[in-house]
Amino acid sequence: MPFLVARSGQALDAFARWVAPRRDVEWVISMLEYLPMSQYTREDLLRRFARSDDPEIEARRQWILQALLAESPEVKEQLIEKGIEQGIEKGQLTAARAALRKVLARRGLALSALHEAQIDACSELATLDRWLDQAVMATSADDALV
């Protein structure tokens, strides 16, 4: 690989795409880490490591991921924080949907299947909060969900 470090551009990209299926995963990961190649080629090579139905290949992928995370605690911490944030957001959305449905039910405003789907499809907390505020005074579910 040392001769490749001095190369760049299309020749290196072509070599990286050619060699990826011919070498083991650890070698390709090392190549991705050290060689200057285009972003397109990096993304193309990483797509080749997508989840596999083969348990042996999947076990290797998991081992590589664990090894990379062990060597990069900052990235591991970022992934944990992102997962926690996503979990909190998901919980807030679930609670907002439940509150909206409860207010509409207590007010006797029936939800159609279309209304249910609209509430389930909403992924913006601000919109669900607006609908909840509107549901307090609405005369129908249609009025609440505008």
Side-chain angles (χ1 to χ4, degrees), residues 6 12 21 23 26 35 47 54 62 68 76 91 96 99 102 128:
L12 182 58
R23 291 290 187 144
E26 291 82 7
L35 295 181
R47 273 191 296 275
D54 185 334
Q62 293 300 318
L68 291 173
K76 186 175 185 177
K102 185 175 184 177
L128 289 166

Side-chain angles (χ1 to χ4, degrees), residues 56-91:
E56 186 177 329
I57 292 172
E58 190 57 32
R60 270 191 246 139
R61 284 183 67 253
Q62 293 300 318
W63 179 85
I64 290 167
L65 178 60
Q66 292 298 325
L68 291 173
L69 288 175
E71 294 298 319
S72 185
E74 306 85 27
V75 173
K76 186 175 185 177
E77 186 63 31
Q78 287 173 355
L79 291 172
I80 290 170
E81 288 174 10
K82 187 174 182 176
I84 290 171
E85 289 170 5
Q86 288 175 342
I88 290 170
E89 182 180 344
K90 184 177 178 181

Side-chain angles (χ1 to χ4, degrees), residues 6-72:
R7 303 210 36 121
S8 63
Q10 291 179 345
L12 182 58
D13 286 355
F15 172 76
R17 284 192 298 273
W18 175 83
V19 79
R22 292 170 173 79
R23 291 290 187 144
D24 62 8
V25 173
E26 291 82 7
W27 193 94
V28 174
I29 294 292
S30 178
M31 179 181 68
L32 286 170
E33 184 177 0
Y34 292 109
L35 295 181
M37 61 187 74
S38 72
Q39 187 64 28
Y40 171 78
T41 299
R42 283 181 186 271
E43 290 170 2
D44 182 47
L45 292 173
L46 289 173
R47 273 191 296 275
R48 294 176 191 229
F49 295 109
R51 187 170 290 276
S52 172
D53 293 335
D54 185 334
E56 186 177 329
I57 292 172
E58 190 57 32
R60 270 191 246 139
R61 284 183 67 253
Q62 293 300 318
W63 179 85
I64 290 167
L65 178 60
Q66 292 298 325
L68 291 173
L69 288 175
E71 294 298 319
S72 185

Side-chain angles (χ1 to χ4, degrees), residues 100 104-105 107-119 127 130-146:
L100 175 60
L104 290 168
R107 297 212 49 243
L109 303 176
L111 291 173
S112 68
L114 182 62
H115 292 131
E116 291 286 353
Q118 185 179 2
I119 292 170
T127 300
R130 180 172 48 84
W131 289 347
L132 180 59
D133 290 342
Q134 292 171 178
V136 173
M137 300 300 289
T139 57
S140 70
D142 284 329
D143 291 341
L145 303 179
V146 289

